[in-house]
Amino acid sequence: MRRIGIMGLVGLVMSLLVQAAPTVTPGQALVRFAEPVSVEQAQREWNSNDFRVARVLVKKLNIFLVTFDAKRDVEQAVQQLSGHPKLLWAQADHIASPRLVPNDPSYSSQWEWNQATDRDIDAPEAWDIATGGQDRGGADLVVAIVDGGCNLAHPDLVANLWQNLAEVNGTTGADDDGNGYVDDKNGWDAYENNGSIPVDDHGTHVSGTVGARTNNSTQVAGVNWSVKLMEVAASSSQTSVISIGYGYVLDQKTLWLSSGGTQGANVVSTNSSFGVDLANCASGTYPVWNDLYNAMGEVGILSACATANANYNVDTQGDVPTSCSSPYMISVTNTTSSDLKNAGAAYGATTIDLGSPGTSILSTVSSGGTGTMTGTSMATPHVAGAVALMHAAASIGFYNYYTLYPDSGALALKQLLLDGTDPIAALQGITVSGGRLNLHNACLAISEFVGPNPDEPFLLVDGAAMSDAVTGNNNGTWERGETVTVVVSLENLGEAALNVNGVLSSADGFATVGDAAGGFGDIANGAIGSNAGDVFLVTLAPNAPLEDAILFDLDVTADSGYARTLGIVLASAPKELYYTNDVEGGAADWTHALVGGAVDQWHVSVEQAHSPASAWKCGSTTTGNYANAQDAALISPSVVLRPETEMRVWHSLTSEQSGTYADSCYDGGNVWISVNGGAWAILTPVSGYPKHFRYLSGGGNPSSGPQPGNACFGGTIPWTEVVFDLSAYADSSVQVRFRFSSDASVNQEGWYVDDIRFYGAPAVAVTPDPIDGLVIQSEGFDALLAWPPSAAEGVEYHVYMSLDAEIEPVDAFLVAQTTDTFFVHSGVLDTTTFVTYQVVVTIP
């Protein structure tokens, strides 16, 4: 799908431009129904022998893929489909080509940020205003990279990758968050229609330009120092696959808006580098493109699109999508470090919006390092990234405007971006703006944006906090069976809000709202008010899931008829940390031993640590690399597991991996478990192991190392937390071991393990039965209590009291802890007419 522009063949390409015709996928077409229909309803519109409705491509837009006999003329089939009265349009499934110029590895710096000639985008000046990450409301900004995939383990990208935290771990095979996509942990693979993201060099390069982690002493800088990169693999040769990819992005932003920011993603821009050369978007044969961009634009998404890698005029000769008319699409051509249009890039005075650096651009690549590429594909991510950076730099006025009107807010941002370009002679008269991207001008303009002043209140949630200080056990967490008070802070970005009131509710069956009404008083423009004087009360069910989050609706009203529903999320039922080893106290009760190799290099090291100073290491006991022929394990003491336990571990690794097979390594580590003293078995992390120990069979290719074929960690892994689900072993006594193995050649730094923690269900306090033989007498206003001693030694007695006949004393008040068998409760009979007591024995 990417367009390969060959610089040396420009003349030949020019001579063929008028002769080229877009190609289509045989036996396939795209249709859009005017009204929502299911696949089954759509199929009833045609005889399945003529047309078969294969699947939904974009649910929100009612776009379907229709198949027919591959021998049939596609144009005639589309004409027949177009005549159906229930369709808005029908079109062929056109073939697009990739937009990628081969690498030029001689460039070794990112010239586009800043250079002496000032033929750059003024990035340092822009970064003085904002470095990216979040909008004015504190929401993560997301850029959807609609490309061929990405190396999700790339060390300069991993911290900025978007994650759908509502998906448990991305490998359950279930739609955990109910968003219609199974296991979409990092995005979506439109090729396979699943949550796997393939590794792709081009997509990795593009991602780095938009948002490589910056100011982290690693590799390259991105337009945004911190931003969330949603990876959508859809750079296909088929428009249908592209539609699935864009549809996923549209669904995530729509869900984000409808849920009040608790689900989906705050996508503000997309980046794409595919299309159909010499195709006229206005011809009526490509309606899906404008529909997609318009639909995304209506929810506030601007789509940055690379024009063709060929030196022709898109105005007259066409290009899809950059000749399309959607105002929410930004079309981009390629400029050089001399502020010239790249000789292999398309142009158009009415179709191509602006130029951006795209020649010899250094960025991240799929190997885990960096590389240089050229093409309109490299120009476009600077623009997609600029949109996100502008949101981070935006004034409160723009944020307010965009929140109220995401569609017109997006168009206002686009206009500021184009108005802020640097005029350059090479683009005058051949692009809409006549200029090249200037990041600083764009950020400065949006930071000064005033925007319309709403003539009514505009209330947003500034924060929500719960407290169990009065109604619970005062440990700061909302636990099963506990009632908490909830205080919500509201910020008013509009006119003064008078007599603000809120009603809290939740559809979650594990949360019961007791006191649902709260008063906020008056909240002036720019001020924050809360219901601290009139709190909500919420109770969590005793059987609520652990590590959960409860979604609430807050229906807010104010005078003059103002009404708005806001979303609130409260964390609930946290797991309890009940075992930890941070390695700061030395080996403690951990041991290490050979498993089958000749060397054991496990030791407490201060070379690296997750926190604060020490970690276990399998490697050189001074500095340097691990030894060959190693197969040794770090072994935990026995731990009795609570229900729903998970082990969380931080680790860092550098080991020999295969240069030929991406999923293989020669040296590495894995984790094993022994239950109740039984045999050791490999324990798999919830995210899976990234590698396998290399196993080569046949002559001259013996198995490699002590664990051939076993799953493992291998290669280069920066400090990363991994989680192991131990819930299957509840109430068992277990040991875990971290096993590191190496073969007979090539050694590197080794494996560090730190901060090993077990989290599980909170311990349930069991109150012993009351002591028999308690004697209670009154003397004046005092109650005199006596009871027989316990047979056990060193015990303590707890005295409980109740003033309510319906409540057991052990559920009411603890009034004394004593080692004696006699207690005087002074003055109690002066204040009550009913009192009962119970005494229980405990071991301190």
Side-chain angles (χ1 to χ4, degrees):
M1 192 76 184
R2 299 183 200 122
R3 294 178 173 166
I4 300 176
I6 303 175
M7 303 293 292
L9 300 182
V10 172
L12 176 60
V13 171
M14 286 295 293
S15 68
L16 296 177
L17 292 181
V18 296
Q19 302 174 32
T23 55
V24 298
T25 304
Q28 293 190 182
L30 283 68
V31 299
R32 181 178 182 185
F33 279 84
E35 301 292 337
V37 293
S38 66
V39 172
E40 292 75 16
Q41 291 170 328
Q43 184 60 66
R44 295 191 196 110
E45 302 299 324
W46 297 286
N47 184 322
S48 61
N49 292 327
D50 294 328
F51 297 104
R52 179 171 295 278
V53 179
R55 64 175 181 270
V56 177
L57 297 178
V58 184
K59 183 177 181 181
K60 185 177 175 63
L61 297 182
N62 310 312
I63 298 174
F64 294 78
L65 178 68
V66 174
T67 60
F68 47 87
D69 190 335
K71 298 178 182 178
R72 187 173 181 180
D73 182 80
V74 173
E75 183 177 351
Q76 291 179 353
V78 169
Q79 288 178 350
Q80 182 178 344
L81 289 167
S82 298
H84 197 287
K86 293 186 179 180
L87 294 184
L88 293 176
W89 50 254
Q91 71 157 74
D93 194 358
H94 297 101
I95 303 292
S97 57
R99 286 178 169 159
L100 171 67
V101 176
N103 292 349
D104 183 355
S106 62
Y107 288 91
S108 61
S109 63
Q110 295 176 277
W111 62 265
E112 70 268 32
W113 305 139
N114 192 42
Q115 57 175 334
T117 60
D118 202 28
R119 292 163 178 164
D120 52 61
I121 65 174
D122 285 348
E125 294 88 341
W127 292 332
D128 282 342
I129 300 173
T131 56
Q134 296 181 326
D135 63 18
R136 285 295 297 267
D140 286 338
L141 293 164
V142 182
V143 177
I145 310 298
V146 186
D147 212 282
C150 181
N151 177 5
L152 299 183
H154 195 290
D156 211 18
L157 296 178
V158 66
N160 283 354
L161 293 175
W162 175 76
Q163 289 194 353
N164 178 8
L165 298 179
E167 283 292 332
V168 175
N169 57 44
T171 59
T172 64
D175 183 11
D176 299 310
D177 59 351
N179 71 349
Y181 297 89
V182 175
D183 291 340
D184 58 324
K185 184 68 173 178
N186 293 104
W188 196 246
D189 180 357
Y191 308 128
E192 301 294 336
N193 251 339
N194 60 37
S196 66
I197 304 297
V199 176
D200 181 77
D201 214 34
H202 185 270
T204 305
H205 195 278
V206 165
S207 297
T209 299
V210 171
R213 192 71 170 189
T214 305
N215 200 31
N216 64 346
S217 301
T218 303
Q219 296 189 4
V220 294
V223 172
N224 296 271
W225 291 16
S226 59
V227 71
K228 296 305 178 187
L229 304 168
M230 174 188 286
E231 300 297 339
V232 180
S235 182
S236 172
S237 60
Q238 296 180 350
T239 311
S240 54
V241 175
I242 296 168
S243 298
I244 293 172
Y246 278 140
Y248 177 79
V249 176
L250 175 60
D251 284 347
Q252 297 316 301
K253 181 58 178 288
T254 302
L255 183 59
W256 191 85
L257 292 174
S258 65
S259 69
T262 62
Q263 293 178 275
N266 183 27
V267 183
V268 295
S269 64
T270 72
N271 185 91
S272 54
S273 307
F274 40 69
V276 185
D277 287 337
L278 304 172
N280 182 359
C281 196
S283 66
T285 57
Y286 302 90
V288 68
W289 296 88
N290 273 321
D291 283 3
L292 287 167
Y293 295 133
N294 287 338
M296 288 189 288
E298 287 168 5
V299 293
I301 301 173
L302 291 172
S303 295
C305 298
T307 194
N309 282 306
N311 189 26
Y312 69 82
N313 189 339
V314 174
D315 288 359
T316 59
Q317 295 178 276
D319 178 69
V320 170
T322 59
S323 69
C324 294
S325 60
S326 172
Y328 303 102
M329 187 262 295
I330 307 175
S331 50
V332 187
T333 193
N334 171 7
T335 62
T336 72
S337 59
S338 300
D339 262 350
L340 300 175
K341 183 188 74 68
N342 187 291
Y347 56 92
T350 63
T351 52
I352 307 305
D353 289 313
L354 78 165
S356 178
T359 304
S360 299
I361 299 301
L362 183 67
S363 186
T364 51
V365 292
S366 60
S367 66
T370 61
T372 304
M373 295 186 183
T374 292
T376 54
S377 295
M378 283 61 256
T380 307
H382 290 92
V383 176
V387 172
L389 190 68
M390 290 173 71
H391 275 276
S395 66
I396 193 66
F398 178 83
Y399 173 74
N400 186 8
Y401 181 44
Y402 180 79
T403 303
L404 279 170
Y405 313 108
D407 51 353
S408 55
L411 293 178
L413 185 148
K414 175 184 175 181
Q415 193 59 53
L416 294 174
L417 180 75
L418 298 184
D419 290 346
T421 56
D422 278 339
I424 60 174
L427 297 180
Q428 293 293 314
I430 64 169
T431 61
V432 174
S433 66
R436 182 249 309 124
L437 173 68
N438 185 295
L439 203 58
H440 176 241
N441 290 348
C443 288
L444 181 62
I446 204 164
S447 71
E448 298 174 345
F449 186 93
V450 176
N453 185 23
D455 56 2
E456 64 175 16
F458 186 72
L459 297 170
L460 296 172
V461 174
D462 181 66
M466 63 83 197
S467 172
D468 63 342
V470 176
T471 54
N473 59 10
N474 196 25
N475 68 350
T477 59
W478 189 20
E479 297 164 330
R480 289 168 166 171
E482 191 172 40
T483 299
V484 294
T485 61
V486 178
V487 174
V488 180
S489 299
L490 298 178
E491 181 179 11
N492 184 15
L493 302 180
E495 293 296 314
L498 305 179
N499 190 29
V500 180
N501 289 282
V503 176
L504 193 69
S505 63
S506 177
D508 194 305
F510 295 106
T512 302
V513 181
D515 187 346
F520 294 79
D522 298 341
I523 307 177
N525 170 258
I528 295 175
S530 79
N531 66 315
D534 188 9
V535 298
F536 305 115
L537 290 176
V538 186
T539 302
L540 187 65
N543 62 335
L546 292 177
E547 300 280 291
D548 200 10
I550 306 293
L551 174 64
F552 295 89
D553 285 336
L554 179 63
D555 294 316
V556 178
T557 59
D559 288 353
S560 303
Y562 177 82
R564 183 175 172 85
T565 299
L566 304 172
I568 296 167
V569 177
L570 292 178
S572 63
K575 291 185 177 181
E576 186 174 83
L577 175 63
Y578 66 92
Y579 176 83
T580 185
N581 178 13
D582 62 7
V583 201
E584 298 306 309
D589 46 2
W590 286 65
T591 60
H592 52 95
L594 291 171
V595 177
V599 183
D600 169 15
Q601 289 185 315
W602 281 105
H603 66 283
V604 175
S605 171
V606 293
E607 290 180 67
Q608 286 192 36
H610 173 250
S611 68
S614 300
W616 284 105
K617 177 187 179 183
C618 191
S620 171
T621 54
T622 54
T623 57
N625 297 338
Y626 54 77
N628 293 323
Q630 185 150 201
D631 188 16
L634 171 67
I635 306 167
S636 78
S638 294
V639 179
V640 177
L641 299 186
R642 294 183 185 178
E644 301 182 66
T645 289
E646 61 185 19
M647 179 175 68
R648 305 176 190 174
V649 180
W650 284 88
H651 75 136
S652 174
L653 175 68
T654 307
S655 69
E656 182 193 8
Q657 60 184 336
S658 171
T660 304
Y661 303 97
D663 66 344
S664 298
C665 65
Y666 295 103
D667 308 330
N670 46 26
V671 182
W672 298 62
I673 189 169
S674 170
V675 182
N676 296 324
W680 291 99
I682 291 180
L683 186 62
T684 302
V686 294
S687 57
Y689 285 106
K691 305 283 186 181
H692 285 78
F693 284 104
R694 188 78 188 109
Y695 182 79
L696 301 174
S697 60
N701 289 318
S703 61
S704 175
Q707 298 193 59
N710 279 350
C712 66
F713 299 112
T716 300
I717 301 175
W719 279 106
T720 302
E721 186 180 40
V722 290
V723 178
F724 297 83
D725 183 3
L726 305 181
S727 57
Y729 312 111
D731 301 319
S732 299
S733 176
V734 306
Q735 288 181 281
V736 294
R737 71 181 186 187
F738 296 82
R739 182 180 176 185
F740 184 82
S741 302
S742 63
D743 66 3
S745 65
V746 184
N747 42 34
Q748 297 182 10
E749 187 169 357
W751 197 14
Y752 294 89
V753 176
D754 199 2
D755 293 327
I756 305 156
R757 294 147 298 142
F758 287 19
Y759 290 84
V764 178
V766 178
T767 303
D769 292 333
I771 290 177
D772 290 331
L774 173 64
V775 177
I776 308 174
Q777 294 181 334
S778 62
E779 187 175 287
F781 294 126
D782 298 339
L784 284 61
L785 288 73
W787 55 90
S790 169
E793 295 182 1
V795 300
E796 186 174 80
Y797 302 99
H798 288 193
V799 181
Y800 294 91
M801 176 191 74
S802 175
L803 303 176
D804 187 332
E806 302 298 322
I807 300 176
E808 288 289 311
V810 292
D811 296 324
F813 302 103
L814 173 66
V815 296
Q817 295 174 237
T818 177
T819 58
D820 203 348
T821 58
F822 180 76
F823 174 69
V824 178
H825 197 189
S826 300
V828 65
L829 301 181
D830 185 31
T831 59
T832 183
T833 58
F834 175 87
V835 61
T836 58
Y837 291 94
Q838 288 177 337
V839 177
V840 300
V841 61
T842 63
I843 299 176

